[in-house]
Amino acid sequence: MIDVTAETEKQPLIFQRADPYMYFHTDGYYYFTASVPEYDRIELRRSWTITGLANAEPCVIWHKHAEGPMSWHVWAPEIHFINGKWFIYFAAGQAESPWYIRTWILECDSPDPFAGEWKEKGPLIPEWDSFQLDTTVFEHAGSLYTVWAQKSKERTENSCLYIARMPNPYTIEYPQVMISRPEYEWECRGFKVNEGPSVIKRNGRIFITYSASATDATYCIGLLSAGDSSDLLDKNSWKKSPEPVYTTDAAKGIFGPGHSCFTTDRSGKEDILVYHARPYADVDLNFALYDPNRHTWVKHFSWDKSGFPVFQ
């Protein structure tokens, strides 16, 4: 059965769900979570097919606190299954200080994340305290790693990308290493931003897509790559593509694509990009985060002769 078709790719899959994360688990379900427009809760949905997620019933597994930490701007949850447990990494601020954004973790030890209890595991604490969000994790060569966006010590950009090893799913091992900072013009439109990292391993390399610039039509996807036998904690192992790899396509009605992740079809043979975008260009940059119409889209992508992904 063909799930994601050319027609599917022409329109949003799930409306008003930004920062999407989709995970195909060994139980045969596709799991999905994302930022909701109210930024007040974390939802899960699941389906046997990718397109079935559009009409799957959302299950609220956590709600923001009334005050203090985790009480405002609940953003970009990701669900991961690590060592027999479920984890959700998400960003949240405080009602008293909405932009005091940090990464937090939920844990569930039930095989069924819809039936089990989700417990607050606490914050994921980086080497220094500053604006932090969009945490992802991946395993490579027997080690667990995390990649996330954070304001640098110098605070010269809105956010840069960092990597670190994790001794367990809720601890960062120091030192953390910066692997990308906004430097090209296309990374600095409106704001100097590198955020929303996502990892895919193919063709002897580890690729990280990330989002750059402001969350309007200038938002776009960049690409980092490293050899899979290289030292991932050496910043020199990572090479940045000098041009964005996925940008606004006005002819297709896709504006500001970003915050991507990856999945496959049920055979595991077809790679699929999951991302959010708006269906129009005009948005007030001062209120762009509160425009609810960042929708989840999906599309097949291919690989070029050099083994690099081709999205556009």
Side-chain angles (χ1 to χ4, degrees), residues 236-288:
N236 295 315
S237 295
W238 295 95
K239 308 302 179 185
K240 180 185 292 190
S241 296
E243 299 292 338
V245 293
Y246 197 31
T247 60
T248 286
D249 189 334
K252 294 181 179 179
I254 297 171
F255 296 88
H259 206 111
S260 59
C261 70
F262 302 98
T263 190
T264 67
D265 67 355
R266 296 193 69 86
S267 73
K269 296 178 180 179
E270 296 289 332
D271 289 309
I272 294 170
L273 179 73
V274 184
Y275 65 100
H276 77 225
R278 288 191 181 87
Y280 48 80
D282 294 333
V283 60
D284 185 338
L285 187 55
N286 294 317
F287 300 98

Side-chain angles (χ1 to χ4, degrees), residues 3 13 46-56:
D3 188 5
L13 176 69
R46 64 183 171 190
S47 171
W48 288 104
T49 63
I50 292 172
T51 54
L53 289 167
N55 297 311

Side-chain angles (χ1 to χ4, degrees), residues 21-38:
Y21 193 80
M22 193 180 298
Y23 168 61
F24 186 31
H25 190 45
T26 54
D27 64 2
Y29 279 112
Y30 287 92
Y31 288 84
F32 177 85
T33 187
S35 299
V36 301
E38 298 81 7

